[in-house]
Amino acid sequence: MNGGPSHVDTFDPKPLLAKYAGKPLPTENLRTERKTGAAFPSPFKFQKYGQSGIEVSKLFANTAKCIDDIAVIRSMHADVPNHEPSLMLMNCGDARLVRPSLGSWVTYGLGSDNQNLPGFIAMCPGGYPIQETQNWQSAFLPGAYQGTYIDTRHTSLDRLIENIKATHVTSREQRAQLDLLRALNEKHQQKRQQDAALEARIQSFELAYRMQIDASDAFDINKEPEHIRKLYGPGTQGATNPHRPPLLERGVRFVQVWTGEGQAVGQP
């Protein structure tokens, strides 16, 4: 969560912060680039929830009701206390070097159950996050495993996914154009063996064509019953989250949800 609340105020209680409140911490080995000041305990109370007994701050009392279905990782750390490199570290495992993102690795390892939709989708209402597309890059993996950006600020399909429909030709004519384009690209590829970028480009054209069939149903939240849509609530996430169940039900392997331009909320 880039720019979000501290882990010690949400899902990671630190009793020693209360014990040493206002005093220097009894260690000099903290992995930060700046000098650590006095201990500052969280002002929010924690309580154990569910069969797992995971402690959750009162700030997330509603989320805590389903804590047994949530994976809480408390072992992560960053050596640079800045948001941008930490976001890259969370998504790609390295704050500086080019590495495949988590969604790319999952899709590469497990594949996708629907060949008409991307296996990895990044839903970002309002624009790119900090570090932009690097957060869902495939790096040295084939380009087919990188995330597909969807601006969920919009509700109409043609604005959710740019150029999803060919308005100037029929489906048959478009298929003929793609067949010609594929033939030219494959001829071009024969002279450039093992060109992953070119192969990814060929596959992206084919996927974009197939998406015209399934995307209308997968991204049309109006097909969800009204009482279901109300459960998601108002606001950005209320508009975004209804997209997830149809995508997952259709075999999309990895869906990453962001909140607002320049911020991240999580990745189920």
Side-chain angles (χ1 to χ4, degrees), residues 183-202:
L184 294 173
N185 280 331
E186 289 179 345
K187 184 177 181 180
H188 184 61
Q189 188 181 36
Q190 289 174 4
K191 300 179 181 179
R192 294 163 177 81
Q193 295 297 323
Q194 306 300 322
D195 188 336
L198 181 55
E199 176 61 30
R201 177 66 62 87
I202 294 174

Side-chain angles (χ1 to χ4, degrees), residues 101-121:
S101 62
L102 177 59
S104 295
W105 276 120
V106 170
T107 310
Y108 174 75
L110 301 179
S112 180
D113 291 332
N114 189 330
Q115 300 305 309
N116 294 339
L117 291 171
F120 174 17
I121 291 178

Side-chain angles (χ1 to χ4, degrees), residues 6 28 36 39 57 59-60 64 69-70 72 75 104 116 120 122 131 146 155 178 182 191 195 219 256:
S6 168
E28 296 180 358
T36 302
S57 162
L59 290 175
F60 287 85
D69 297 320
I70 298 175
V72 179
S75 58
S104 295
N116 294 339
F120 174 17
Q131 301 292 69
Q146 68 183 10
T155 55
L178 286 174
R182 184 182 184 91
K191 300 179 181 179
D195 188 336
F219 288 97
Q256 188 175 57

Side-chain angles (χ1 to χ4, degrees), residues 3 43 49 75 107 110 114 144-145 166 195 211 216 231 237 256 261 268:
Y49 291 87
S75 58
T107 310
L110 301 179
N114 189 330
Y145 299 108
D195 188 336
M211 279 181 65
S216 297
L231 293 175
Q237 292 307 309
Q256 188 175 57
E261 186 175 0

Side-chain angles (χ1 to χ4, degrees), residues 76-94:
M76 296 180 66
H77 72 273
D79 57 357
V80 179
N82 294 319
H83 294 163
E84 291 86 348
S86 296
L87 191 61
M88 285 288 292
L89 184 63
M90 181 188 75
N91 283 289
C92 305
D94 197 291

Side-chain angles (χ1 to χ4, degrees), residues 155-168:
T155 55
S156 62
L157 181 62
D158 57 343
R159 299 198 69 187
L160 268 171
I161 309 173
E162 292 184 340
N163 305 314
I164 188 61
K165 295 180 180 178
T167 58
H168 58 288

